Amino acid sequence: MTLLAVERIKLFSTRSPWWCAALALVITVGITALIAANTSTEFPLTVGVTQAFYTFGMYVVLVMAALAITTEYRFSTIRATFLAVPNRISALLAKTVVVSLLAGVIGELVAFGSWGISKLIKPDVNIAINTAQEWRNVAGVGAVFFVGAIFAIAIGTLLRHTAGAVALLLVWALVVESLVGIIPKIGDDIQRWMPFVNGNRFLTAGTEPFPGEPVINYPFGAWGSLGYFAAISVGLLIVAFVVAKRRDA
């Protein structure tokens, strides 16, 4: 518990998590508000539409999580941490728990904020959250943010360089996983195993795809996709812990 308290103090004593949290909320809720205001009978407002832009907030949270670890290496404060806590894995695990929990909270704020602003803009449209699928679509955003933060911390721990970690995370999530599907013959088979694609599958399983959205034959159901995303992230984190334990700080 002491390590968790220390990591919480370290995290919230810097400006980056506050700015990233605010930016994730403003961007995601703002875009959702614009879309909700322009929905019509041809493009109706649904619960799924209110959550269609959660990825904008997630990208900011990925940056926040990477910064939480890479800035310690940048300013060499990680050396003091490892001197105070010789068990490096315990220190890194405490940081992962704190940052990931914060990411999950931001995800819930983003999700329900987007739903709330849509309801406020179009009060006559029925977007009540009634079914288990709709609850997963909204409340599940926090779980995806939580797992995504673990993935980002693992990358940051492995690379230790802010620019490199942020660039890799954004290129992977924004470009690689989107474009891998256009590879002839094998693209679809590869894309259905991508971690962030499966995270999105957890949220959108059972909903109607948007016009022009590619239909992917996923290997798992909704909860299986989240489990797969979590397994990839935790596996990568374990590798990062082993590497961090063996090399110099």
Side-chain angles (χ1 to χ4, degrees):
M1 295 301 294
T2 301
L3 284 176
L4 293 175
V6 169
E7 291 299 334
R8 175 181 56 80
I9 293 170
K10 286 165 63 177
L11 180 65
F12 289 107
S13 63
T14 59
R15 295 180 180 179
S16 59
W18 298 102
W19 280 108
C20 288
L23 192 60
L25 282 166
V26 170
I27 292 178
T28 310
V29 176
I31 294 176
T32 302
L34 290 174
I35 297 301
N38 289 279
T39 52
S40 60
T41 54
E42 291 81 11
F43 182 67
L45 181 62
T46 63
V47 173
V49 170
T50 67
Q51 304 304 310
F53 306 98
Y54 79 93
T55 52
F56 288 96
M58 185 179 68
Y59 299 144
V60 177
V61 167
L62 292 178
V63 173
M64 179 198 75
L67 285 173
I69 184 66
T70 57
T71 50
E72 288 222 47
Y73 281 102
R74 178 185 176 188
F75 295 107
S76 297
T77 56
I78 196 70
R79 295 179 181 176
T81 299
F82 288 160
L83 285 173
V85 186
N87 188 342
R88 296 184 177 186
I89 293 179
S90 296
L92 293 172
L93 184 60
K95 181 180 291 293
T96 302
V97 170
V98 171
V99 175
S100 298
L101 285 175
L102 175 60
V105 171
I106 295 173
E108 295 301 322
L109 293 174
V110 164
F112 284 97
S114 298
W115 177 84
I117 196 69
S118 300
K119 185 66 176 177
L120 186 65
I121 292 173
K122 292 290 181 73
D124 297 330
V125 178
N126 182 17
I127 54 171
I129 307 174
N130 296 317
T131 66
Q133 174 183 304
E134 290 170 340
W135 276 108
R136 172 166 43 81
N137 197 180
V138 179
V141 173
V144 173
F145 275 43
F146 180 91
V147 177
I150 295 175
F151 189 97
I153 292 171
I155 295 296
T157 304
L158 287 170
L159 297 186
R160 302 195 296 183
H161 189 273
T162 299
V166 170
L168 178 59
L169 285 167
L170 295 183
V171 168
W172 181 269
L174 277 167
V175 180
V176 174
E177 293 204 1
S178 299
L179 296 182
V180 71
I182 67 175
I183 299 175
K185 297 182 180 180
I186 62 172
D188 292 339
D189 292 331
I190 296 175
Q191 189 175 41
R192 70 196 192 107
W193 293 101
M194 294 290 100
F196 288 97
V197 168
N198 276 273
N200 183 69
R201 160 71 170 174
F202 165 68
L203 299 177
T204 60
T207 61
E208 289 293 328
F210 292 103
E213 183 179 359
V215 178
I216 302 174
N217 183 24
Y218 291 95
F220 309 107
W223 289 97
S225 294
L226 179 64
Y228 174 76
F229 184 26
I232 293 294
S233 299
V234 171
L236 193 62
L237 186 68
I238 292 173
V239 173
F241 284 176
V242 172
V243 172
K245 186 177 181 180
R246 291 182 176 180
R247 67 187 177 189
D248 294 336

